[in-house]
Amino acid sequence: MLRRTLVLSAAVTTLLAGTSFAPAYADAAEPGVIITNGDRVHVSSTPPPTASAHGWWKKVSGPGDKARVTVDLQVRNADGSWRTVATGSKIVKQGGGSARRANARKRCVNVNRTISWRSVIDVDIIGVIDSPEKAVTAPQSLRCAV
């Protein structure tokens, strides 16, 4: 799942919100664009059986060299709603790879029962106001119940 986000400066955010422009925002960073991405939830290859998901970001343009990437690992409830069962967060530079991504993990309690999993990924560029959108990966049916 790929997400492009417009990173808004404080000045632009203030103007879009309909409030008056304050001189304190004169030195705010210019807007930019990032891509939020993540892999599909999977059962980790290393024991014990664990549902795992990763999230990362890539800068297309704009300010900021580091971001807090947060991954929420979710399971589908019987009523169709989604419930977060684990969260992982890490401050990383853009790019992905094992050193530049966040991870969320949840140990499987029952590997004989199949349930639906997904992850929700949020990227917050350090020191830059951005939009609230999050990337959501496609649901995966895994033999990993919690």
Side-chain angles (χ1 to χ4, degrees):
M1 180 56 75
L2 192 61
R3 171 185 79 129
R4 287 185 180 264
T5 301
L6 176 63
V7 180
L8 300 176
S9 70
V12 173
T13 304
T14 301
L15 291 173
L16 290 175
T19 60
S20 63
F21 180 71
Y25 293 117
D27 293 330
E30 291 300 315
V33 176
I34 64 167
I35 297 171
T36 299
N37 209 345
D39 58 7
R40 294 182 179 190
V41 180
H42 55 280
V43 175
S44 181
S45 61
T46 57
T50 306
S52 179
H54 304 98
W56 60 89
W57 70 288
K58 293 197 179 203
K59 179 166 56 171
V60 176
S61 66
D65 294 322
K66 290 185 177 181
R68 176 171 299 282
V69 178
T70 303
V71 180
D72 289 332
L73 196 54
Q74 297 184 331
V75 295
R76 189 186 311 256
N77 293 321
D79 66 1
S81 64
W82 290 94
R83 174 174 49 102
T84 299
V85 295
T87 299
S89 184
K90 186 175 179 183
I91 295 176
V92 295
K93 292 182 177 181
Q94 65 100 20
S98 62
R100 295 183 175 192
R101 66 184 182 194
N103 178 264
R105 297 171 60 92
K106 181 68 175 174
R107 188 168 180 177
C108 305
V109 174
N110 183 345
V111 293
N112 295 317
R113 185 169 159 234
T114 301
I115 62 172
S116 188
W117 293 81
R118 74 177 187 183
S119 63
V120 178
I121 305 153
D122 185 31
V123 173
D124 293 312
I125 308 299
I126 305 298
V128 179
I129 296 174
D130 65 12
S131 60
E133 292 102 8
K134 298 177 183 181
V136 179
T137 60
Q140 300 296 304
S141 291
L142 300 176
R143 291 174 52 114
C144 176
V146 292

